Amino acid sequence: MNSGPRFRDALQEIPGYRAGKRPDPRTDGVEAFKVSSNENPYPPLPQVVKVIEQAAHHVNRYPDPGSAELIEAIAAHAGVPREHVAVATGAVALCYQFAQSTAGPGDEVVFAWRSFEAYPIVTSVAGAQPVAVPLLADGRHDMAALAAAVTDRTRLVFICSPNNPTGTVVTQDELDEFMAAVPNDVMVVLDEAYIEFCRDPSAAAGLVTYTKHQNLAVLRTFSKAYGLAGLRVGYAIAQPPVIEALNKTALPFGVSVIAQAAAAASLADDAELRARVDALVAERTRVMQGLRAAGVEVVPSEANFVWLPLGEQTEEFANRSEQAGLTVRAFAGEGVRVTIAETAANDRFIGLASDFSR
Ligand SMILES: *Cc1c(COP(=O)(O)O)cnc(C)c1O
């Protein structure tokens, strides 16, 4: 009797990816906010929407497989040579490509935990062994422990700064020390998905640091600060051999005609986007001050979200928030991550957290 297809054993290790929950439709007139996926609350800029509409007329054709115009725009924006840039359908796709191009059965992939949920998944899909190194008590990466976790089996390390979900950064000194300690045949990916929101001058600067290391790549995305999460575009910046490996493991024609055009357009004039990021950073400051004034324990954040280490109270807070029309991201037994969003959503969050801590 056939019991259906047999899947690789590695798939049993993989937790199903839990996307941010959609708020339930409400019948009581309360406006519901989804603050569980770190999306940008601002709609796309009018000029970007116009480019999307124009690109729509060309979707009978395959996209440029080399994403030449987009790569040119990213290179100019980042101030790097175009041979140092790879694009993909979101930074998540690049995480898969990093794992597939460096690690397989018998190899290890090291990352801090808790951090971005994709890291253990892409590791297992590649057939490699995830090595999760606990965060420090203050939510920061334990860089010494990460360096100590690197063995001769380690092929890849993910470092997330600012870290999802705690919002903490790795400092430049910590990164420099780490890179000096790790053998240079181990690929190190510095995931800077939230770097545009970072205002800490001591934070590691990936674009400065990668030029000194053959084995350091910087990961960025258009999904958060640039507000194009629905289009799926991310990029990596690294030395040419790394970019070549990423291109070999890329999904052919992955980044769509529309996504290539819109992402390039959003770089063309990003003053307005930077103003929006500044406004979100100001809201983050206001939220943190409001929480602290009410005695709520919150980890200082350099991202577009904040982390409340609520421990055993996590689910209760998440349920109460849901009832009040605020869908947060809960990690049972650990804490909740709440996106800095519309002012009304942020106000509601401050109120809920303040009431909860009383
Ligand atoms: C959101 C996020 C990404 C990537 O998002 P894409 O939408 O796939 O570009 C990468 N890393 C971290 C830490 C994230 O939070």
Side-chain angles (χ1 to χ4, degrees), residues 195 227 244:
I195 197 68
E244 205 170 297

Side-chain angles (χ1 to χ4, degrees), residues 16 35 50 59-60 62 69 115 125 142 144 182 201 282 320:
V35 288
K50 197 179 280 174
V59 295
N60 57 313
Y62 279 106
E69 273 176 42
S115 189
V125 171
D142 187 340
V182 169
R320 275 204 220 172

Side-chain angles (χ1 to χ4, degrees), residues 110-116 119-120 131-135 140-143 146 157-160 163-164:
V110 172
F111 46 81
W113 200 252
R114 182 169 282 280
S115 189
F116 188 38
Y119 303 152
V131 177
V133 176
L135 295 170
R140 290 163 31 81
H141 277 47
D142 187 340
M143 296 302 286
L146 282 161
V157 180
F158 286 108
I159 293 172
C160 190
N163 186 46
N164 175 2

Side-chain angles (χ1 to χ4, degrees), residues 124-344:
S124 295
V125 171
Q129 190 62 38
V131 177
V133 176
L135 295 170
L136 295 166
D138 60 3
R140 290 163 31 81
H141 277 47
D142 187 340
M143 296 302 286
L146 282 161
V150 171
T151 69
D152 54 9
R153 293 184 163 198
T154 308
R155 303 267 48 93
L156 173 64
V157 180
F158 286 108
I159 293 172
C160 190
S161 176
N163 186 46
N164 175 2
T166 52
T168 54
V169 295
V170 171
T171 68
Q172 186 66 54
D173 289 347
E174 286 173 329
L175 181 64
D176 290 340
E177 232 175 273
F178 182 82
M179 292 308 297
V182 169
N184 74 0
D185 65 348
V186 174
M187 183 76 232
V188 179
V189 176
L190 181 66
D191 186 341
E192 292 189 335
Y194 300 96
I195 197 68
E196 293 88 349
F197 300 99
C198 178
R199 296 293 178 269
D200 180 347
S202 72
L207 291 189
V208 178
T209 318
Y210 95 93
T211 58
K212 301 182 198 124
H213 301 280
Q214 292 292 332
N215 60 326
L216 180 64
V218 181
L219 197 53
R220 299 247 176 129
T221 179
F222 285 92
S223 297
K224 310 287 163 51
Y226 283 84
L228 298 179
L231 281 179
R232 316 301 306 120
V233 194
Y235 59 98
I237 294 183
Q239 304 292 336
V242 177
I243 298 304
E244 205 170 297
L246 290 172
N247 288 338
K248 285 181 181 175
T249 49
L251 180 73
F253 301 106
V255 185
S256 75
V257 167
I258 293 173
Q260 287 185 31
S266 72
L267 288 174
D269 172 22
D270 72 347
E272 178 62 26
L273 286 167
R274 274 190 307 217
R276 290 172 165 197
V277 167
D278 286 344
L280 290 169
V281 169
E283 275 295 278
R284 176 180 78 203
T285 304
R286 187 178 73 85
V287 167
M288 303 244 286
Q289 283 168 350
L291 294 174
R292 287 208 183 101
V296 177
E297 188 189 347
V298 57
V299 175
S301 171
E302 294 295 333
N304 68 337
F305 54 82
V306 296
W307 172 249
L308 304 186
L310 287 167
E312 296 309 315
Q313 292 181 299
T314 294
E315 277 161 304
E316 194 189 339
F317 180 77
N319 289 337
R320 275 204 220 172
S321 298
E322 185 69 37
Q323 281 158 22
L326 207 60
T327 303
V328 303
R329 184 60 173 273
F331 298 96
E334 296 179 56
V336 296
R337 189 192 68 202
V338 184
T339 307
I340 302 297
E342 295 88 338
T343 304

Side-chain angles (χ1 to χ4, degrees), residues 89-114:
T89 55
V92 164
L94 288 155
C95 290
Y96 275 93
Q97 288 163 252
F98 277 114
Q100 285 192 327
S101 54
T102 61
D107 298 331
E108 294 175 349
V109 177
V110 172
F111 46 81
W113 200 252
R114 182 169 282 280

